[in-house]
Amino acid sequence: MTVFSADGNIIVAKPNNSLTPRGLVWLFISIMIITMTVALGVSLSGAWLVLPFAGFEVLAFAYALHHVYLHYGDFEKVTLVDNEVVVEKHSYKNSEKFTFQRYWAKVSLRNSTDGTCSIFIGSHGKEVEFGTRFMDNDQRITVARQLKQQLNIV
């Protein structure tokens, strides 16, 4: 999901988190109750070996939801402030910030061998890729166009 500011000076790319952290907990509890109810019913009819597999299933689901929770606040952001272009990347346990002079900053859109395109922002031989994780090709093309337009208006 990509969010543009009203004046076009901030672009934020972040995942589409359709569930809140509280919703993740409720989803886990409901799946666990359903899985364990079915597993207990089947084990009472004599197939007791279902219980360990149901336990592994619940643990795998818990691990997946924990991973989703840890990356809930991930984002990538481009901010055009005065004479600077600031690119921020935030992921669980990792934050990076890159600053380029607005006058020299260039935006390029490159196609890769797998058919996707990538946005690169940089100057003076240093580049950073933007929007790799949270945007599709159409959104990247739109963002690259908007960034090029904003950088040319000085």
Side-chain angles (χ1 to χ4, degrees):
M1 177 171 79
T2 306
V3 179
F4 300 97
S5 70
D7 61 357
N9 289 334
I10 299 174
I11 299 171
V12 179
K14 59 184 183 176
N16 186 6
N17 296 320
S18 56
L19 277 179
T20 64
R22 187 178 202 161
L24 292 173
V25 170
W26 280 108
L27 177 65
F28 174 73
I29 289 171
S30 61
I31 293 294
M32 185 182 69
I33 289 172
I34 291 169
T35 301
M36 294 317 263
T37 302
V38 170
L40 283 172
V42 171
S43 69
L44 289 176
S45 66
W48 61 270
L49 201 54
V50 167
L51 284 176
F53 289 102
F56 287 135
E57 179 182 343
V58 169
L59 284 175
F61 192 66
Y63 176 77
L65 290 180
H66 180 67
H67 180 77
V68 168
Y69 175 74
L70 290 178
H71 292 280
Y72 192 80
D74 291 2
F75 68 88
E76 294 181 6
K77 178 167 69 169
V78 174
T79 309
L80 305 175
V81 182
D82 297 328
N83 292 326
E84 293 183 334
V85 177
V86 180
V87 180
E88 296 176 61
K89 292 183 167 200
H90 178 74
S91 180
Y92 173 69
K93 290 188 177 182
N94 190 17
S95 288
E96 296 176 303
K97 184 176 182 178
F98 306 92
T99 304
F100 303 102
Q101 289 181 356
R102 187 174 183 160
Y103 180 76
W104 297 105
K106 300 291 179 202
V107 176
S108 61
L109 195 61
R110 298 184 200 146
N111 291 324
S112 62
T113 56
D114 64 352
T116 62
C117 58
S118 301
I119 301 173
F120 286 91
I121 303 168
S123 70
H124 296 91
K126 296 179 183 175
E127 288 185 321
V128 63
E129 192 171 2
F130 176 74
T132 56
R133 296 174 47 204
F134 309 122
M135 291 192 275
D136 61 16
N137 278 344
D138 294 335
Q139 289 173 327
R140 285 188 198 108
I141 292 168
T142 303
V143 166
R145 241 184 244 132
Q146 182 181 13
L147 281 172
K148 285 179 183 180
Q149 182 182 24
Q150 289 291 69
L151 289 176
N152 290 333
I153 301 172
V154 177

